[in-house]
Amino acid sequence: MTSPAAAVERLLGMAVEGLRPVPGGDVCRAYQVRLADGRTVFGKTRPAAPAEFFAVEAAGLRRLAAAGGVPVPEVLGADDDVLVLEWVEPGPPTAPAAERLGRELAATHAAQAASYGADRDGWIGPLPLDNSPTVGWAEFYAARRVEPFLRRAVQDGAVGAEDARDVERALDRIAVLAGPPEPPATVHGDLWSGNVLWGADGRARLVDPAAHGGHRETDLAMLALFGAPLLDRVLAAYAEAAPLAPGWRGRVPLHQLHPLLVHAVLFGPAYGARAGAAARAALRG
């Protein structure tokens, strides 16, 4: 494998003078990179990355940037070995930044997509993600987001029979459980709290997207799944800018089925049990 420094040098045509590992998730290795021209950039590599892995991520960042809502780090280059982004100096979450994030996320979602899905498949973490477009959200969510990961989790023994049946029951009723129809929104697609980068400049950015045309409640439910700083401030500002349909809180567990099943595949039965509990909560409304 090409070294991270060599990959950045080849991509940018600029010598690397320093490289320091930084936190970057479980799948990729991340670095703060100092270039010969004095700039500091962010570089991300993955051993044996699938073809277009970084190209898809770069396209997702550009799609979110074009929506004109929450900012993202500028994409400086991407190839099969490395993704290079603008360096954003991290800082603490603050109430003003959280409220701005809520308003800007509403603006991101207001950028309507042509359909549910995307023009190319992608990944969520290390797992492939089918983005084949559909007309309706219920069909897209069931067929592209929940069923593939449920099948694999059951096959791997990460979801028990009773929990699997309850997830299937929720999918059987998804047209009713989904609430009022909404047009496809531009969504981040993997918006857990670790994919919100709080900047030292007092503004939050989105990173590591699985961007597609989806349901805006999915991003909000993902933010809530593992806890996000100042989430109440984010949600209040969002609702003020773009009110959510009645009953949205009762639909949060439905929108959390996908990430819980992804985690069941990756990390085992504890998340499979949580997926079953979420399905039962969704059925209760």
Side-chain angles (χ1 to χ4, degrees):
M1 175 185 169
T2 304
S3 72
V8 172
E9 288 179 344
R10 185 187 65 248
L11 183 63
L12 298 185
M14 174 71 61
V16 169
E17 292 194 343
L19 186 144
R20 179 175 67 87
V22 295
D26 298 323
V27 177
C28 295
R29 299 170 182 170
Y31 304 90
Q32 183 188 55
V33 183
R34 189 175 72 255
L35 301 176
D37 64 1
R39 286 182 296 159
T40 297
V41 299
F42 174 87
K44 185 160 76 168
T45 65
R46 177 184 172 186
E52 296 199 334
F53 181 83
F54 292 121
V56 169
E57 182 173 342
L61 287 167
R62 292 186 178 110
R63 179 172 184 168
L64 293 176
V70 188
V72 302
E74 180 186 357
V75 177
L76 303 178
D79 63 17
D80 285 346
D81 294 320
V82 65
L83 172 68
V84 181
L85 305 176
E86 165 196 11
W87 175 261
V88 177
E89 190 64 29
T94 65
E99 292 166 2
R100 184 170 186 173
L101 172 61
R103 293 190 297 270
E104 291 181 333
L105 185 58
T108 297
H109 291 164
Q112 292 187 12
S115 63
Y116 297 100
D119 60 2
R120 65 166 88 176
D121 292 339
W123 286 268
I124 185 161
L127 301 178
L129 202 55
D130 183 355
N131 285 328
S132 303
T134 68
V135 174
W137 178 78
E139 176 190 354
F140 175 81
Y141 189 64
R144 309 285 189 259
R145 292 297 182 263
V146 178
E147 289 173 350
F149 299 97
L150 176 62
R151 286 196 300 269
R152 180 162 171 181
V154 169
Q155 176 184 320
D156 293 348
V159 173
E162 182 179 350
D163 289 325
R165 281 194 298 270
D166 287 334
V167 173
E168 290 167 350
R169 286 175 56 218
L171 294 184
D172 287 342
R173 296 192 58 208
I174 191 169
V176 174
L177 299 177
E182 293 209 357
T186 296
V187 299
H188 178 281
D190 188 16
L191 193 54
W192 72 290
S193 60
N195 286 340
V196 178
L197 173 57
W198 301 91
D201 61 358
R203 194 174 189 189
R205 289 148 177 94
L206 302 184
V207 297
D208 294 346
H212 63 281
H215 197 303
R216 61 194 182 121
E217 290 178 15
T218 297
D219 274 350
L220 301 178
M222 186 67 170
L223 269 180
L225 183 56
F226 302 116
L230 301 167
L231 181 60
D232 288 347
R233 295 286 188 106
V234 175
L235 294 177
Y238 184 103
E240 184 177 340
L244 293 158
W248 70 270
R249 291 187 185 275
R251 293 187 291 273
V252 167
L254 177 68
H255 289 272
Q256 291 177 341
L257 282 176
H258 166 58
L260 286 171
L261 289 168
V262 168
H263 277 69
V265 170
L266 293 175
F267 304 116
Y271 288 102
R274 288 186 63 180
R280 291 185 286 276
L283 286 163
R284 292 192 299 270

